[in-house]
Amino acid sequence: MSEELGRRVLDALTRSVDARALGEAVARLAPASPASPAGAAVPGDVTARAVLRKIVLSDLLDDAILGARPGEPSYPLRMFFATLGDELEGEVAFALASGINFYFRAAMDEEPKLAIALEVSRLYYRFAEERPLEPELVRALSPLLARLMSTELSQVRLESVDHAKVFDSATHERALGSDASSAKILAPKSFLCRVVANDRVRVKATVRT
């Protein structure tokens, strides 16, 4: 499973999305003009809200996530999807949201689904850096997101490696620009993938050293 394959799959997805139409729909979420009667239903607003709900998976996520309160196990996931919805004008956020939606909504064989999952994990870490998300939130969120995405896979599972501090060639590979002489992990760049049946590493996690 190569990184290039994942990028090609997600590139095809991104090209299939009408970004302009989506952007216009989300833009219509702005408050109605003063001339509009208070509470009046505007068809464009209804469509935009429906699109936005789907983008942030509000129609698919469990109530335990959507209604999670601070201190509850699923709260980091709630914060992540809320933040993603607020940042959709950004290129990385939009690509990440598109990838997550395609991953959870499209029926496909496990091999291409895994390729998309790994690319989504790379976009997730890019989003976490560029946003940036609080490090404490990311550390709590990463294993939850990996576990949530693993529910779509049967033969393999995804794992976060945010807890790892030292490079291990059995489970990690270095990202471009890493210091090959250093064993200190500076940041994770993708999820790890293991085979469910025997716990063997299927795809190593990419990290920056």
Side-chain angles (χ1 to χ4, degrees):
M1 178 73 59
S2 68
E3 180 175 342
E4 181 61 27
L5 173 58
R7 292 189 185 282
R8 290 203 305 269
V9 172
L10 198 59
D11 284 346
L13 163 65
T14 303
R15 288 195 299 270
S16 71
V17 175
D18 189 338
R20 179 179 179 181
L22 180 58
E24 291 174 351
V26 173
R28 288 197 294 272
L29 286 173
S33 65
S36 301
V42 180
D45 287 347
V46 174
T47 300
R49 291 182 188 281
V51 170
L52 185 61
R53 287 187 71 250
K54 286 183 177 292
I55 290 175
V56 297
L57 302 185
S58 294
D59 59 327
L60 295 182
L61 295 176
D62 188 272
D63 288 342
I65 296 175
L66 295 175
R69 301 178 67 83
E72 295 182 344
S74 297
Y75 186 69
L77 282 171
R78 178 186 175 184
M79 291 296 295
F80 166 64
F81 285 108
T83 302
L84 186 61
D86 289 340
E87 298 290 330
L88 286 175
E89 73 278 4
E91 290 294 330
V92 175
F94 180 76
L96 174 57
S98 299
I100 290 176
N101 270 270
F102 189 57
Y103 178 76
F104 280 104
R105 297 183 189 278
M108 68 189 81
D109 292 336
E110 183 140 325
E111 191 72 12
K113 176 148 283 198
L114 175 57
I116 293 172
L118 294 173
E119 187 61 26
V120 164
S121 75
R122 294 183 184 98
L123 286 169
Y124 157 67
Y125 283 115
R126 282 184 59 192
F127 177 70
E129 285 187 357
E130 294 181 12
R131 168 63 177 82
L133 298 178
E134 292 295 331
E136 295 80 6
L137 174 62
V138 175
R139 280 193 293 270
L141 169 62
S142 296
L144 296 176
L145 183 59
R147 190 154 54 244
L148 178 64
M149 294 179 67
S150 293
T151 61
E152 294 290 306
L153 303 167
S154 60
Q155 299 177 26
V156 297
R157 70 173 182 274
L158 303 170
E159 297 179 2
S160 66
V161 296
D162 297 51
H163 61 282
K165 303 300 182 184
V166 179
F167 182 84
D168 181 354
S169 60
T171 55
H172 306 140
E173 63 180 12
R174 287 183 170 87
L176 292 176
S178 293
D179 181 354
S181 64
S182 174
K184 181 180 179 181
I185 294 178
L186 299 178
K189 293 296 182 179
S190 73
F191 288 156
L192 175 74
C193 174
R194 291 186 185 273
V195 178
V196 171
N198 54 25
D199 212 38
R200 294 179 61 182
V201 173
R202 170 70 188 282
V203 182
K204 297 177 182 181
T206 304
V207 298
R208 179 166 58 86
T209 60

